[in-house]
Amino acid sequence: VRIQISVAIITYCLVAIVQHDMKLKRSTYEVLQILSISLTDKTLLRDLFDKTNFNDVKDLYNPIIPGLFD
């Protein structure tokens, strides 16, 4: 459990540093959503955040198979 808490804190700190350095106008939650959706993409971070101009980042993710409660 300690390792999971440590990883969560480190991840949050890294995202906060990226958010601060890139001067993003998005919330930390929204930045985390964008990063989680695009984990397998080889896109530069600046391009990734410039391309996603969605009010709700959930609109970016359209699964092929609908979810259980959709």
Side-chain angles (χ1 to χ4, degrees), residues 7-47:
V7 168
I9 292 171
I10 291 169
T11 303
Y12 179 81
C13 290
L14 288 173
V15 168
I17 290 169
V18 167
Q19 185 179 8
H20 179 266
D21 289 347
M22 294 179 70
K23 296 176 178 68
L24 297 174
K25 303 280 189 218
R26 301 175 182 271
S27 67
T28 306
Y29 177 71
E30 198 171 10
V31 172
L32 283 169
Q33 279 186 327
I34 292 171
L35 290 175
S36 69
I37 290 171
S38 60
L39 282 176
T40 58
D41 293 345
K42 289 187 178 182
T43 307
L44 297 174
L45 286 178
R46 177 56 62 194
D47 294 339

